[in-house]
Amino acid sequence: MLKKYYLLSPGPTPVPDSVLSAAAEPIIHHRTPEFSEIFMQVSEGLKYVFGTKEDVFILTSSGSGAMETAIVNTLSPGDRVISINGGKFGERWGNILKAYGVSVKEIVLDWGADFSKEQLAAELKANPGVKAVYATLSETSSGAIYDIKGFGEVVAQTEAILVVDGISGAGATPCPMDEWKVDIFVSGSQKSFMIPPGLAYIAFSPKAWKLVATAKLPRFYFDATKAKKNLEKQTTPWTPAVSLIIQQKKALDIIKSMGLEAMLEHHRILGEATRAGVNALGLELLAKKPGNILTAIKTPTGIDGSKLVKTMQAKYKAYIAGAQDPNKGKFFRIAHLGYMGGFDVITSLAALEMTLLDLGYSFEKGRSLAAAETILRENWK
Ligand SMILES: *Cc1c(COP(=O)(O)O)cnc(C)c1O
């Protein structure tokens, strides 16, 4: 068989051809009106996806750089904060906070477990005076999504700011930043923004800017005040990733022409089709509240989860994702975000069925495809 490569991971995600070819255009200088025009269009487009009136800053880094930016610009050493850790990425909030000497009350959840706004309200009551709450919109390591709207209601009644990692969630599941009272929202380019890895995005609410004025943590490259001053001059403090920004302009044009609502609905359909397929095979989901970004599926008993992922990748070239440490092998993750279509769901499920047959799992062949096709066909517009 010709080894065609199928990228089915929750980041990086596939990039549309027109966006890929934009990277081959000659480089333009970044201190010119031509670049500034594109840069400001991207900045505006990001505001649309974030659902905010505030500035969205474009950083040359992976998503984690925006997470670090959120922390170093608003806190001082010894500040007390709450961090919700429901998996690998929630854990990353805690790791960055600890690296900067912040005093973190970490709420460690079982991977895939939910956390309610009532539980958060109780934590805030038990820990008065915390400066910030760190949450994840879509926990990419488990496929769970959290009640950011509810968290926003609860945190808004306190002095604390709500900081949300929307790196995989933005553009794929609803989270209108201003309406849901999110104070800092971060995202990255390689998930549903449909461009390669390398850019990170961040916006601050007025409540968060107030903290910026007093924050004493060391910062230089990720200084939000420098970014703000430069954005006023339609530029960035440092050399921006020119080609990625041009690619983001093209990808945002696609998102805007489809409309954010339609984009979210598209993800809902792909999520539903994937879950229907998985259920039809008698497999179980990991997340209590699964999102429409990716689906984490428990490895059936008697099957080696690492071997499943390895077979799908090495034999079928279907690059789904495994489970990260400390849950390696216990489940696997099929993504359906960004530039993925209905037939990418079919590809994932077909590759999964063939792999399960290879590994000796017994089920009625084709059932997942039939279930997914039903959902896709009913919703195809
Ligand atoms: C991908 C991802 C990150 C990490 O981003 P990098 O680009 O690898 O730095 C953080 N949080 C979530 C939820 C993600 O999906």
Side-chain angles (χ1 to χ4, degrees):
M1 292 289 276
L2 182 137
K3 297 280 188 187
K4 182 164 177 187
Y5 190 107
Y6 298 96
L7 182 60
L8 303 162
S9 92
T13 59
V15 176
D17 291 351
S18 63
V19 176
L20 276 178
S21 60
E25 288 173 15
I27 302 293
I28 60 172
H29 197 276
H30 60 288
R31 307 289 183 208
T32 59
E34 291 82 357
F35 179 74
S36 279
E37 189 182 336
I38 296 166
F39 177 67
M40 293 313 287
Q41 284 168 349
V42 173
S43 188
E44 284 301 312
L46 293 171
K47 283 159 82 163
Y48 169 67
V49 177
F50 273 33
T52 185
K53 293 197 299 288
E54 305 302 326
D55 293 329
V56 179
F57 301 104
I58 303 167
L59 313 172
T60 308
S61 79
S62 79
S64 303
M67 296 172 78
E68 183 154 337
T69 302
I71 290 167
V72 296
N73 284 282
T74 49
L75 299 178
S76 300
D79 274 352
R80 288 181 310 111
V81 302
I82 290 174
S83 176
I84 303 166
N85 170 356
K88 208 75 205 162
F89 296 107
E91 182 184 48
R92 185 163 306 171
W93 276 133
N95 289 343
I96 304 171
L97 287 159
K98 286 175 215 161
Y100 278 100
V102 175
S103 168
V104 200
K105 167 77 204 285
E106 228 178 341
I107 300 163
V108 182
L109 309 174
D110 285 337
W111 287 29
D114 196 21
F115 188 72
S116 69
K117 64 174 178 180
E118 290 79 17
Q119 284 172 297
L120 179 59
E123 285 292 341
L124 281 162
K125 209 166 163 202
N127 296 278
V130 296
K131 278 251 176 85
V133 172
Y134 296 84
T136 312
L137 172 58
S138 156
E139 176 48 79
T140 318
S141 64
S142 74
I145 55 163
Y146 298 96
D147 179 17
I148 300 301
K149 186 176 186 217
F151 295 172
E153 289 164 12
V154 167
V155 177
Q157 291 165 19
T158 71
E159 291 291 305
I161 56 167
L162 174 63
V163 186
V164 175
D165 170 356
I167 295 176
S168 66
T173 197
C175 190
M177 179 180 168
D178 294 354
E179 193 187 321
W180 285 10
K181 303 183 172 67
V182 172
D183 293 298
I184 303 184
F185 192 68
V186 304
S187 198
S189 60
Q190 80 276 28
K191 309 277 164 100
S192 39
F193 284 99
M194 304 196 295
I195 72 163
L199 295 181
Y201 308 128
I202 184 166
F204 298 75
S205 73
K207 190 176 175 186
W209 278 118
K210 275 196 198 132
L211 286 184
V212 175
T214 56
K216 298 217 163 42
L217 285 184
R219 54 192 182 267
F220 184 79
Y221 185 73
F222 290 127
D223 189 331
T225 311
K226 284 194 190 93
K228 187 173 167 56
K229 263 195 204 127
N230 279 272
L231 189 63
E232 281 160 16
K233 295 182 284 179
Q234 308 198 325
T235 188
T236 50
W238 330 113
T239 308
V242 172
S243 301
L244 287 171
I245 289 171
I246 291 171
Q247 288 184 290
Q248 188 62 89
K249 152 88 173 68
K250 298 236 180 221
L252 280 166
D253 286 347
I254 295 172
I255 294 169
K256 283 190 289 187
S257 73
M258 186 162 162
L260 183 60
E261 279 306 311
M263 203 49 118
L264 299 175
E265 172 66 3
H266 169 74
H267 282 87
R268 186 195 63 75
I269 296 163
L270 297 195
E272 206 179 299
T274 307
R275 291 189 292 274
V278 167
N279 287 335
L281 294 178
L283 301 178
E284 244 183 285
L285 304 184
L286 178 77
K288 186 123 196 296
K289 222 168 74 186
N292 294 319
I293 294 93
L294 73 147
T295 300
I297 303 145
K298 290 186 189 168
T299 308
T301 18
I303 302 284
D304 176 340
S306 303
K307 202 163 167 201
L308 185 149
V309 174
K310 232 177 256 163
T311 305
M312 278 184 80
Q313 293 186 346
K315 180 172 177 188
Y316 298 112
K317 297 285 161 197
Y319 285 81
I320 64 153
Q324 290 149 294
D325 270 335
N327 290 305
K328 264 209 166 68
K330 292 189 191 144
F331 60 91
F332 53 94
R333 300 172 293 152
I334 293 178
H336 29 83
L337 82 158
Y339 188 59
M340 291 199 195
F343 292 116
D344 290 315
V345 170
I346 298 297
T347 299
S348 296
L349 292 171
L352 174 61
E353 284 204 7
M354 287 163 72
T355 303
L356 287 170
L357 289 170
D358 291 349
L359 300 182
Y361 180 70
S362 76
F363 60 97
E364 195 185 319
K365 202 161 58 173
R367 279 199 68 177
S368 75
L369 306 179
E373 280 172 27
T374 302
I375 303 285
L376 292 172
R377 220 173 133 259
E378 278 169 4
N379 289 280
W380 206 283
K381 281 194 266 290

Coordinates of all heavy atoms in Angstrom, one line a residue, residues 34-68:
E34 N 2.7 47.2 4.6 CA 2.2 46.0 4.1 C 2.0 44.9 5.1 O 1.0 44.3 5.2 CB 3.1 45.4 3.0 CG 3.2 46.3 1.7 CD 4.2 47.4 1.8 OE1 4.8 47.6 2.9 OE2 4.4 48.1 0.8
F35 N 3.1 44.8 6.0 CA 3.0 43.8 7.0 C 2.0 44.2 8.1 O 1.2 43.4 8.5 CB 4.3 43.4 7.6 CG 4.2 42.4 8.7 CD1 4.0 41.1 8.4 CD2 4.2 42.8 10.1 CE1 3.8 40.1 9.4 CE2 4.0 41.8 11.0 CZ 3.8 40.5 10.7
S36 N 2.0 45.5 8.5 CA 1.1 45.9 9.5 C -0.3 45.7 9.2 O -1.1 45.4 10.1 CB 1.4 47.4 9.8 OG 2.5 47.6 10.6
E37 N -0.7 45.9 7.9 CA -2.0 45.7 7.5 C -2.5 44.2 7.8 O -3.5 44.0 8.4 CB -2.2 46.0 6.0 CG -3.7 46.1 5.6 CD -3.9 46.4 4.2 OE1 -3.0 47.0 3.5 OE2 -4.9 45.9 3.6
I38 N -1.6 43.3 7.4 CA -2.0 41.9 7.6 C -2.0 41.6 9.1 O -2.9 40.9 9.6 CB -0.9 41.0 6.9 CG1 -1.0 41.2 5.4 CG2 -1.1 39.5 7.2 CD1 0.2 40.6 4.6
F39 N -1.0 42.1 9.8 CA -0.9 41.8 11.2 C -2.2 42.3 12.0 O -2.7 41.6 12.8 CB 0.3 42.6 11.7 CG 0.6 42.5 13.2 CD1 0.9 41.3 13.8 CD2 0.4 43.6 14.0 CE1 1.1 41.2 15.2 CE2 0.6 43.5 15.4 CZ 1.0 42.3 16.0
M40 N -2.7 43.5 11.6 CA -3.8 44.0 12.3 C -5.1 43.2 11.9 O -6.0 43.0 12.7 CB -4.0 45.5 12.0 CG -2.9 46.4 12.6 SD -2.5 46.0 14.3 CE -4.0 46.7 15.2
Q41 N -5.1 42.7 10.7 CA -6.3 41.9 10.3 C -6.3 40.6 11.1 O -7.4 40.1 11.5 CB -6.2 41.6 8.8 CG -6.6 42.8 7.9 CD -6.3 42.5 6.4 OE1 -5.5 41.6 6.1 NE2 -6.8 43.4 5.6
V42 N -5.1 40.1 11.3 CA -5.0 38.8 12.1 C -5.5 39.1 13.6 O -6.3 38.4 14.2 CB -3.6 38.2 12.1 CG1 -3.5 37.0 13.0 CG2 -3.3 37.8 10.7
S43 N -5.0 40.2 14.1 CA -5.3 40.6 15.4 C -6.9 40.8 15.6 O -7.5 40.3 16.6 CB -4.6 41.9 15.8 OG -4.7 42.2 17.1
E44 N -7.5 41.4 14.6 CA -8.9 41.6 14.6 C -9.7 40.2 14.5 O -10.6 40.0 15.2 CB -9.4 42.5 13.4 CG -9.1 43.9 13.7 CD -9.8 44.5 14.9 OE1 -11.0 44.3 15.1 OE2 -9.1 45.2 15.7
G45 N -9.1 39.4 13.6 CA -9.7 38.0 13.4 C -9.7 37.2 14.7 O -10.6 36.5 15.0
L46 N -8.6 37.4 15.4 CA -8.4 36.6 16.7 C -9.4 37.1 17.7 O -10.0 36.3 18.5 CB -7.0 36.7 17.2 CG -5.9 36.0 16.3 CD1 -4.5 36.4 16.8 CD2 -6.1 34.5 16.3
K47 N -9.7 38.4 17.7 CA -10.7 39.0 18.6 C -12.1 38.4 18.4 O -12.8 38.1 19.3 CB -10.8 40.5 18.5 CG -9.6 41.2 19.1 CD -9.4 42.6 18.6 CE -10.3 43.7 19.2 NZ -9.7 45.0 18.9
Y48 N -12.4 38.2 17.1 CA -13.6 37.6 16.7 C -13.7 36.1 17.3 O -14.7 35.8 17.8 CB -13.7 37.6 15.2 CG -14.8 36.7 14.6 CD1 -16.1 37.1 14.7 CD2 -14.5 35.6 13.8 CE1 -17.2 36.3 14.2 CE2 -15.5 34.9 13.2 CZ -16.8 35.2 13.4 OH -17.8 34.5 12.9
V49 N -12.7 35.4 17.1 CA -12.7 34.0 17.6 C -12.7 33.9 19.1 O -13.4 33.1 19.7 CB -11.5 33.1 17.0 CG1 -11.5 31.7 17.5 CG2 -11.6 33.1 15.5
F50 N -12.0 34.8 19.7 CA -11.9 34.8 21.2 C -13.2 35.4 21.8 O -13.5 35.2 23.0 CB -10.8 35.8 21.7 CG -9.4 35.1 21.8 CD1 -9.0 34.1 21.0 CD2 -8.5 35.5 22.8 CE1 -7.8 33.5 21.1 CE2 -7.2 34.9 22.9 CZ -6.9 33.9 22.1
G51 N -14.0 36.1 21.0 CA -15.2 36.8 21.6 C -14.8 37.9 22.6 O -15.4 37.9 23.7
T52 N -13.9 38.7 22.1 CA -13.5 39.8 23.0 C -13.3 41.1 22.3 O -13.0 41.2 21.1 CB -12.2 39.4 23.7 OG1 -11.9 40.5 24.7 CG2 -11.0 39.3 22.8
K53 N -13.5 42.2 23.1 CA -13.2 43.5 22.6 C -11.8 43.9 22.8 O -11.3 44.9 22.3 CB -14.1 44.6 23.3 CG -15.6 44.4 22.9 CD -16.4 45.7 23.3 CE -16.3 46.0 24.8 NZ -17.2 45.1 25.6
E54 N -11.1 43.1 23.7 CA -9.8 43.5 24.2 C -8.8 43.1 23.0 O -9.1 42.3 22.2 CB -9.4 42.7 25.4 CG -10.4 42.9 26.6 CD -10.5 44.3 27.0 OE1 -9.5 45.1 26.9 OE2 -11.6 44.7 27.4
D55 N -7.6 43.7 23.2 CA -6.5 43.3 22.2 C -6.1 41.8 22.4 O -6.1 41.3 23.5 CB -5.2 44.1 22.6 CG -5.4 45.6 22.3 OD1 -6.2 46.0 21.4 OD2 -4.7 46.4 23.0
V56 N -5.9 41.2 21.2 CA -5.3 39.9 21.3 C -3.8 40.0 20.8 O -3.6 40.5 19.7 CB -6.1 38.8 20.4 CG1 -5.4 37.5 20.5 CG2 -7.5 38.8 20.9
F57 N -2.9 39.5 21.6 CA -1.5 39.6 21.3 C -1.0 38.3 20.6 O -1.5 37.3 21.0 CB -0.6 39.9 22.5 CG -1.1 41.2 23.2 CD1 -1.8 41.2 24.3 CD2 -0.8 42.4 22.6 CE1 -2.2 42.3 24.9 CE2 -1.2 43.6 23.2 CZ -1.9 43.6 24.4
I58 N -0.2 38.5 19.6 CA 0.4 37.4 18.9 C 1.8 37.2 19.3 O 2.7 38.1 19.1 CB 0.3 37.7 17.3 CG1 -1.1 38.0 16.9 CG2 0.9 36.5 16.5 CD1 -1.3 38.6 15.5
L59 N 2.1 36.0 19.9 CA 3.4 35.7 20.4 C 4.1 34.7 19.5 O 3.4 33.8 19.0 CB 3.4 35.2 21.8 CG 2.5 35.9 22.8 CD1 2.4 35.1 24.1 CD2 3.0 37.3 23.1
T60 N 5.4 34.8 19.3 CA 6.1 33.8 18.6 C 6.6 32.8 19.6 O 7.6 32.9 20.2 CB 7.3 34.4 17.8 OG1 6.9 35.5 17.1 CG2 8.0 33.4 16.9
S61 N 5.8 31.8 19.8 CA 6.1 30.7 20.7 C 5.0 29.6 20.5 O 4.0 29.9 19.9 CB 6.1 31.1 22.2 OG 4.8 31.2 22.7
S62 N 5.2 28.5 21.1 CA 4.1 27.5 21.1 C 3.1 28.0 22.2 O 3.3 29.0 22.9 CB 4.6 26.1 21.4 OG 4.8 25.9 22.8
G63 N 2.0 27.3 22.3 CA 0.9 27.7 23.3 C 1.4 27.9 24.7 O 1.0 28.8 25.4
S64 N 2.4 27.1 25.1 CA 2.8 27.2 26.5 C 3.4 28.6 26.8 O 3.4 29.1 27.9 CB 3.9 26.1 26.8 OG 3.3 24.9 26.6
G65 N 4.0 29.2 25.8 CA 4.5 30.6 25.9 C 3.4 31.6 26.3 O 3.7 32.5 27.2
A66 N 2.2 31.4 25.8 CA 1.1 32.2 26.2 C 0.7 31.9 27.7 O 0.3 32.8 28.4 CB -0.1 32.1 25.3
M67 N 0.8 30.7 28.1 CA 0.5 30.3 29.4 C 1.5 31.0 30.4 O 1.1 31.6 31.4 CB 0.6 28.8 29.6 CG -0.5 28.0 28.8 SD -0.2 26.2 28.9 CE -0.9 25.8 30.5
E68 N 2.7 31.0 30.0 CA 3.7 31.6 30.8 C 3.5 33.1 30.9 O 3.6 33.8 31.9 CB 5.1 31.3 30.3 CG 6.3 31.9 31.1 CD 7.6 31.1 31.0 OE1 7.6 29.9 30.6 OE2 8.6 31.7 31.2

